[in-house]
Amino acid sequence: MKIYLAPMEGITTYIYRNAYQKYYGGIDIYYTPFVANRKLKSRELADVLPDNNKVLSIVPQILTNQTDVFLEITSQLYDMGYNEVNLNLGCPSGTVVAKHRGAGFLNDQRELEKFLDIIYEKSPLPISIKTRLGIDSLYEWEDLLVMYKKFPIKELIVHARTLNQGYNGTPSLDAFHMAQDILSCPLCYNGDIIDITSYKKLIAICPDTKAVMLGRGAIANPMLPQILIADNLLHDNNNTNTNLTAKTTGSDTFISFHDELLERYREYMSGDQPVLYKMKELWTFWSQNMNIDKKALKKIKKAQSLNVYQHIVNELILSNS
Ligand SMILES: Cc1cc2nc3c(=O)[nH]c(=O)nc-3n(C[C@H](O)[C@H](O)[C@H](O)COP(=O)(O)O)c2cc1C
């Protein structure tokens, strides 16, 4: 089973990916959050620069509905030495959808097919696609699959929800199974794999699955890839290592990971506030997996300076170790 880390804007930055690889790993491919500008903005450029991604296997993601923009960005990525790009057909954000980009592009299959015709003909790099099932209903999915079948898709990553489900509705494993029946390109499942139970459910319904992409589950519990790998080994080779459980805030690995993120963001950003914003955003995920006091989380959220933040986190870590 291959394991990918999902692109998550603002979360899986190059700083996050490097720290994650150093302290946890278990990821076969990291997807960058989307880049969208013909002339990459400095944040977009920093995120895809090979120098910032040295030890990782990376696929950069592009969000656009304009063939010339897609091809210009792809050609820059080709020059940087990348060997694949990913097209975002899944972003549900209102502003993106209003411009018929991301999942909004699924609303106009004729236009989308014309777009794919051109980019697959002209792109210097193989193109994988990350898609949702459609806008509103599973009827659209079958039509989309028939269309996808026409293109040499390097890999189709299926976030098994419609646009209207946002991030909360239940993903459809049956829809992923349907893709396995209809398409012959490599496929990757994405959506709500958060633990062994959800992973096993996927494998029970879609036993031919060869790749999963982990999003919020792996952010909340950075041990998740290791846990899934250990479970696979256990079943494949009678491996007896059952000792991999979710680590808590007090674990040495988590502390090192946390401190590295904090340090790197301090170097990269100016002033306390943007760094605090980043760390607080991460705590909304980490707190879901860790047995931490609600009051402590509130205190973290209220911290107005990095000194105060660090003090609260140190206390929290001490009380959990
Ligand atoms: C904060 C946030 C940012 C995201 N940014 C992107 C993005 O840049 N590109 C993309 O394809 N998906 C993006 N996603 C969607 C995730 O990659 C993933 O498809 C989604 O979270 C479902 O997987 P999960 O249930 O494992 O989290 C984002 C999701 C979240 C919550």
Side-chain angles (χ1 to χ4, degrees):
M1 180 69 68
K2 295 241 181 284
I3 300 182
Y4 306 155
L5 190 72
M8 291 176 71
E9 242 246 289
I11 308 275
T12 60
T13 60
Y14 80 88
I15 289 176
Y16 185 92
R17 298 190 301 264
N18 284 314
Y20 192 92
Q21 177 69 13
K22 184 167 168 188
Y23 292 103
Y24 293 100
I27 297 292
D28 293 288
I29 303 177
Y30 291 84
Y31 287 75
T32 73
F34 63 79
V35 295
N37 293 286
R38 191 188 299 267
K39 184 171 176 341
L40 296 179
K41 290 188 174 164
S42 60
R43 181 191 52 77
E44 292 176 314
L45 187 61
D47 206 45
V48 296
L49 270 182
D51 271 357
N52 290 338
N53 291 288
K54 277 188 186 136
V55 294
L56 309 176
S57 173
I58 297 276
V59 174
Q61 185 186 67
I62 302 175
L63 174 93
T64 185
N65 59 2
Q66 291 173 270
T67 53
D68 55 338
V69 173
F70 184 92
L71 292 169
E72 271 184 47
I73 298 176
T74 303
S75 124
Q76 292 171 53
L77 295 167
Y78 174 85
D79 290 343
M80 289 180 200
Y82 284 102
N83 50 25
E84 177 183 337
V85 288
N86 180 263
L87 172 67
N88 180 324
L89 293 178
C91 182
S93 127
T95 44
V96 167
V97 169
K99 291 182 190 156
H100 304 285
R101 299 187 299 167
F105 208 173
L106 302 175
N107 207 10
D108 191 345
Q109 273 194 41
R110 274 178 54 182
E111 275 306 305
L112 176 57
E113 187 164 342
K114 277 195 226 156
F115 173 89
L116 294 177
D117 263 332
I118 295 173
I119 62 166
Y120 274 100
E121 189 197 323
K122 298 195 171 161
S123 169
L125 290 175
I127 305 163
S128 57
I129 294 179
K130 181 162 178 281
T131 185
R132 287 197 181 230
L133 307 178
I135 305 298
D136 196 25
S137 88
L138 286 184
Y139 294 116
E140 298 162 57
W141 183 227
E142 206 167 338
D143 290 344
L144 277 173
L145 288 174
V146 171
M147 183 193 63
Y148 286 143
K149 207 174 160 62
K150 297 180 189 166
F151 297 98
I153 299 176
K154 171 88 192 301
E155 183 157 12
L156 186 71
I157 300 162
V158 181
H159 178 190
R161 292 185 170 96
T162 60
L163 162 65
N164 288 348
Q165 283 181 294
Y167 289 110
N168 300 319
T170 310
S172 168
L173 298 179
D174 292 338
F176 185 63
H177 197 279
M178 191 194 286
Q180 290 179 320
D181 287 343
I182 293 179
L183 298 180
S184 50
C185 69
L187 289 166
C188 168
Y189 174 83
N190 170 237
D192 276 5
I193 301 294
I194 53 165
D195 54 17
I196 293 270
T197 309
S198 44
Y199 176 73
K200 282 194 171 151
K201 193 171 164 200
L202 166 69
I203 302 305
I205 296 179
C206 307
D208 294 335
T209 304
K210 303 271 188 303
V212 284
M213 175 178 269
L214 308 177
R216 292 162 297 177
I219 307 299
N221 176 9
M223 286 290 291
L224 184 58
Q226 299 297 343
I227 291 171
L228 301 185
I229 291 166
D231 188 66
N232 262 323
L233 288 176
L234 197 66
H235 290 105
D236 295 350
N237 307 330
N238 278 336
N239 185 311
T240 50
N241 179 8
T242 52
N243 210 12
L244 275 170
T245 51
K247 296 221 174 156
T248 60
T249 17
S251 90
D252 290 346
T253 307
F254 180 78
I255 296 165
S256 306
F257 176 57
H258 169 275
D259 290 354
E260 172 117 5
L261 285 171
L262 184 60
E263 209 36 53
R264 296 283 92 82
Y265 278 129
R266 284 177 91 154
E267 285 165 12
Y268 181 63
M269 299 169 138
S270 53
D272 283 12
Q273 293 317 313
V275 181
L276 275 172
Y277 181 84
K278 283 272 175 226
M279 299 311 291
K280 288 177 186 180
E281 202 176 6
L282 287 169
W283 276 104
T284 57
F285 290 94
W286 292 333
S287 62
Q288 293 163 22
N289 177 57
M290 294 165 179
N291 196 13
I292 62 171
D293 190 337
K294 275 203 177 132
K295 273 191 195 158
L297 184 63
K298 254 196 183 165
K299 271 191 183 171
I300 292 178
K301 293 272 167 117
K302 280 190 175 163
Q304 288 301 319
S305 74
L306 282 172
N307 281 343
V308 173
Y309 167 84
Q310 189 74 74
H311 181 72
I312 298 166
V313 170
N314 287 347
E315 269 186 355
L316 182 68
I317 283 169
L318 270 181
S319 67
N320 272 275
S321 51

